[in-house]
Amino acid sequence: MRRGGLHHVELRASDLAATGRAWAWLLGELGYEPFQQWDAGRSWRLGDLYVVLEGAPLGGTNDRRRPGLSHLAFHAGDAAAVEHLWTSAPDHGWSRLYEDRHPHAGGPDHHAAFLEDGERFKVELVAG
C-alpha cells in the first residue's frame, strides 16, 4: 500500500450482465483476478487496487465527453500485448476508438489502444 495510490475505482452500469462480461475479459487479460461478487455487482483485484462494477440504481447514460470521468488508462504490457487486446476487443464487447490514428492516437511517441464498452466507458491501454 502506497500513500496516494488508488485504493479502488467504482463504475456504475445500466446493463450489469453485458458490461460485466466486457470488463471481466479486459481485466482478466490485464492480470486482475475476480475479487467479490454480489447480486448488484462484482469486482476484480490486482495487487492493492480493485475495480468495482455495480448496477446503477438510477437511470441515465454515461457520456465520457460530458463533465466527469473521461477514461481509465491501464499499463497493458508491451506493444504486442496492446495489439492483442486491440485485435481481440470487439469479440468481447468493446469498440475500437480512433482507428484511423491507432496506435498513436495519443501522440507520435505514445503507443496505446483506445476502447469503449457498451456503456461508453473508455479505456486507454498503454504500451510500456
Side-chain angles (χ1 to χ4, degrees):
M1 169 174 46
R2 195 169 87 196
R3 184 170 187 255
L6 285 176
H7 184 268
H8 71 276
V9 174
E10 189 168 319
L11 304 171
R12 297 277 171 95
S14 62
D15 184 346
L16 181 61
T19 304
R21 285 188 298 275
W23 281 89
W25 170 78
L26 179 62
L27 293 173
E29 290 287 313
L30 294 173
Y32 285 73
E33 297 285 336
F35 179 44
Q36 301 164 314
Q37 186 162 343
W38 59 101
D39 288 343
R42 53 203 43 109
S43 65
W44 299 264
R45 180 169 54 186
L46 180 64
D48 292 334
L49 173 65
Y50 63 99
V51 176
V52 177
L53 182 64
E54 285 190 310
L58 301 175
T61 58
N62 177 63
D63 190 330
R64 61 185 164 72
R65 298 165 302 168
R66 291 190 177 147
L69 182 68
S70 171
H71 67 279
L72 299 177
F74 295 93
H75 293 286
D78 61 15
V82 169
E83 290 311 304
H84 166 73
L85 293 168
W86 174 259
T87 301
S88 303
D91 293 333
H92 298 281
W94 294 91
S95 298
R96 295 177 186 144
L97 297 174
Y98 321 125
E99 288 187 88
D100 60 325
R101 295 178 281 158
H102 175 76
H104 300 291
D109 298 324
H110 185 70
H111 189 113
F114 290 85
L115 305 172
E116 181 179 73
D117 75 0
E119 299 268 345
R120 303 216 54 208
F121 288 116
K122 176 178 154 185
V123 295
E124 178 179 355
L125 304 171
V126 181

